[in-house]
Amino acid sequence: MGLLAFFRRSQPTANVAKERLRIIVAQERTARGGPDYLPTLRRELMEVIRKYINVDPEAVQINLEKEDGHEVLEFSVALPEKGKA
Amino acid sequence: MTEIIVVTSGKGGVGKTTTSASVACGLARRGKRVAVIDFDIGLRNLDLIMGCERRVVYDFVNVIQGDCTLKQALIKDKRIETLFVLAASQTRDKDALSMEGVRKVFDELIADGFEYIICDSPAGIEKGAHLAMYYADRAIVVVNPEVSSVRDSDRILGLLSSKTQRAEKGEEKVKEHLLLTRYSPRRVATGEMMSVGDVKEILGLDVIGVIPESPDVLSASNAGTPVILNDQSDVSRAYEDAVGRLLGDTLPLRFLEEPKKGFLARMFGG
């Protein structure tokens, strides 16, 4: 690496890439095996929640977990801190 | 016994055709009888990378439609005795390839004693990509250490486990391998690029090869000589290793670290 390049060094962003991919890939894998209505369900649930609470779309997680013999639809909403909503 | 290998990725421009050409050459150089087929109907390119573009008379679609025999359409490589190329058609008709047509060509290749059929998939998840993977026994998923490529290849993994003949018939699943291309050990060391370990962890695949970023790849495609045939290049050595692993060799990954530079080179760049 030359002197100039040393001062113009790029940001180490590989960790950010990895973390974002870890989340989105996990989310897309859940949706993949699951029924087609999951995205619509997620959207409609979001609309209902947002009638009452102003939550960020990223704060809503919907997961379909397969455990031996039965499936669990897990839905979690991280509520905003008091005063910010 | 014939093994059908699809080279796929989802995203375009990551090195599928470069990989198909080099893996096919690598297998053929070891004496295997290999056919490498371009599935990118409408956007033929494997012929250029293989350096046989002026010898294409008949293509894949011609064979399927019965305009010629398979023997007439297979282009025999001038460098390696046991290597044959089947070019993609330049037709704009996306339905020119059919499941039955592909099966017919594969059956004929199998009957003819080919040991490996390498399917160079088009980018995307449309019909061409689907047909390229449908009959596969193995898949080489080509990935750049970059967010969109990694995400797209995960989509492809989903399709491999649901939209292939093996998946539909409930047979043993398609063997999937990760091949990282355009890998820059220097940028990995500075934290600018995801490492082979990172990508492996996200996708959960075994790594069949890591191909370093190199100007040799462009030179090779300029010349129409698959890069594996450039014995001076690290890229060639990395592809040779990948071919060895495909055949069951256990080899440590190479070229994961930046070659050491002298003091002057480090101070003044280069």
Side-chain angles (χ1 to χ4, degrees), chain B residues 138 140 177-179 206-210 241-243 245-246 253:
Chain B
R138 276 179 196 250
I140 298 177
H177 307 281
L178 170 65
L179 184 99
D206 89 276
V207 182
I208 199 155
V210 178
D241 286 0
V243 171
R245 292 185 196 105
L246 207 55
L253 290 171

Side-chain angles (χ1 to χ4, degrees), chain A residues 1-6 8-30 32, chain B residues 146-148 150-151 154-155 157-159 186-187 190-195 198 201-204 261 265-270:
Chain A
M1 184 185 316
L3 274 179
L4 268 179
F6 184 80
R8 291 193 273 111
R9 198 201 288 246
S10 318
Q11 292 297 310
T13 47
N15 283 337
V16 183
K18 185 184 175 188
E19 195 48 32
R20 290 173 58 216
L21 276 170
R22 222 178 42 73
I23 294 166
I24 194 73
V25 164
Q27 192 179 318
E28 287 174 351
R29 281 183 181 178
T30 320
R32 194 185 292 157
Chain B
E146 176 272 327
V147 286
S148 48
V150 175
R151 183 199 211 173
D154 194 63
R155 281 298 302 276
L157 292 177
L159 298 178
R186 183 187 66 77
R187 303 187 75 192
T190 55
E192 295 165 62
M193 182 181 273
M194 284 183 284
S195 70
D198 292 340
E201 187 188 322
I202 293 161
L203 294 176
K261 279 189 195 165
R266 269 191 288 153
M267 288 312 284
F268 297 103

Side-chain angles (χ1 to χ4, degrees), chain A residues 39-85:
Chain A
T40 321
L41 176 66
R42 182 187 149 91
R43 199 164 46 242
E44 289 180 5
L45 280 170
M46 279 288 301
E47 280 165 20
V48 173
I49 291 166
R50 292 180 89 158
K51 271 205 241 174
Y52 302 95
I53 320 161
N54 185 19
V55 293
D56 186 17
E58 280 188 34
V60 179
Q61 292 276 345
I62 178 162
N63 278 315
L64 191 71
E65 305 242 331
K66 289 195 180 76
E67 285 165 24
D68 33 37
H70 62 285
E71 288 177 316
V72 178
L73 186 69
E74 187 186 81
F75 185 70
S76 87
V77 185
L79 295 179
E81 286 171 43
K82 277 212 170 79
K84 286 193 178 169

Side-chain angles (χ1 to χ4, degrees), chain B residues 1-7 16-17 19-29 31-39 46-47 50 52 60 63 70-71 73-77 80-88 102 104-121 132 136-138 140 246:
Chain B
M1 187 58 203
T2 310
E3 188 158 63
I4 302 172
I5 304 178
V6 60
V7 178
K16 283 182 296 298
T17 303
T19 298
S20 302
S22 280
V23 168
C25 280
L27 288 167
R29 271 216 288 202
K32 308 287 183 196
R33 218 166 127 74
V34 182
V36 56
I37 306 180
D38 191 347
F39 272 78
L46 177 67
D47 55 338
M50 293 296 297
C52 63
F60 197 7
V63 181
L70 175 61
K71 272 207 171 63
L74 282 175
I75 305 166
K76 189 172 189 305
D77 189 84
I80 309 168
E81 191 76 358
T82 53
L83 177 58
F84 294 81
V85 180
L86 185 55
V102 173
K104 197 186 93 185
V105 171
F106 284 3
D107 283 342
E108 214 173 315
L109 289 168
I110 292 165
D112 204 5
F114 277 90
E115 293 166 277
Y116 287 92
I117 301 173
I118 311 290
C119 307
D120 181 20
S121 172
D137 301 306
R138 276 179 196 250
I140 298 177
L246 207 55

Side-chain angles (χ1 to χ4, degrees), chain B:
Chain B
M1 187 58 203
T2 310
E3 188 158 63
I4 302 172
I5 304 178
V6 60
V7 178
T8 182
S9 71
K11 189 171 182 294
V14 296
K16 283 182 296 298
T17 303
T18 299
T19 298
S20 302
S22 280
V23 168
C25 280
L27 288 167
R29 271 216 288 202
R30 294 169 189 230
K32 308 287 183 196
R33 218 166 127 74
V34 182
V36 56
I37 306 180
D38 191 347
F39 272 78
D40 204 346
I41 302 306
L43 292 169
R44 173 197 293 170
N45 271 321
L46 177 67
D47 55 338
L48 271 178
I49 302 302
M50 293 296 297
C52 63
E53 69 279 6
R54 294 178 56 190
R55 296 166 60 214
V56 178
V57 181
Y58 294 111
D59 59 52
F60 197 7
V61 171
N62 291 142
V63 181
I64 288 176
Q65 293 179 343
D67 307 332
C68 66
T69 62
L70 175 61
K71 272 207 171 63
Q72 287 174 299
L74 282 175
I75 305 166
K76 189 172 189 305
D77 189 84
K78 289 199 163 169
R79 298 155 293 217
I80 309 168
E81 191 76 358
T82 53
L83 177 58
F84 294 81
V85 180
L86 185 55
S89 164
Q90 291 287 44
T91 177
R92 281 191 284 175
D93 175 13
K94 291 225 166 196
D95 295 323
L97 280 191
S98 63
M99 205 88 100
E100 304 75 46
V102 173
R103 186 70 254 177
K104 197 186 93 185
V105 171
F106 284 3
D107 283 342
E108 214 173 315
L109 289 168
I110 292 165
D112 204 5
F114 277 90
E115 293 166 277
Y116 287 92
I117 301 173
I118 311 290
C119 307
D120 181 20
S121 172
I125 52 174
E126 302 286 312
K127 192 172 178 190
H130 179 216
L131 284 175
M133 71 168 66
Y134 188 74
Y135 295 108
D137 301 306
R138 276 179 196 250
I140 298 177
V141 183
V142 183
V143 181
N144 288 170
E146 176 272 327
V147 286
S148 48
S149 175
V150 175
R151 183 199 211 173
D152 289 358
S153 55
D154 194 63
R155 281 298 302 276
I156 289 291
L157 292 177
L159 298 178
L160 283 167
S161 61
S162 62
K163 303 281 184 201
T164 52
Q165 179 178 265
R166 283 176 173 272
E168 286 176 3
K169 288 194 173 171
E171 298 170 354
E172 193 187 331
K173 73 191 285 271
V174 179
K175 288 195 199 84
E176 303 158 339
H177 307 281
L178 170 65
L179 184 99
L180 263 182
T181 55
R182 308 202 64 173
Y183 197 73
S184 167
R186 183 187 66 77
R187 303 187 75 192
V188 171
T190 55
E192 295 165 62
M193 182 181 273
M194 284 183 284
S195 70
V196 52
D198 292 340
V199 179
K200 187 180 166 184
E201 187 188 322
I202 293 161
L203 294 176
L205 284 188
D206 89 276
V207 182
I208 199 155
V210 178
I211 312 298
E213 166 90 64
S214 162
D216 299 339
V217 174
L218 181 62
S219 317
S221 66
N222 286 343
T225 309
V227 65
I228 197 170
L229 300 179
N230 174 3
D231 291 326
Q232 306 302 309
S233 172
D234 283 352
V235 174
S236 164
R237 297 183 190 108
Y239 271 122
E240 273 296 341
D241 286 0
V243 171
R245 292 185 196 105
L246 207 55
L247 293 171
D249 296 349
T250 310
L251 302 164
L253 290 171
R254 294 196 273 172
F255 316 113
L256 299 187
E257 264 154 51
E258 194 182 3
K260 294 273 180 287
K261 279 189 195 165
F263 172 76
L264 282 176
R266 269 191 288 153
M267 288 312 284
F268 297 103

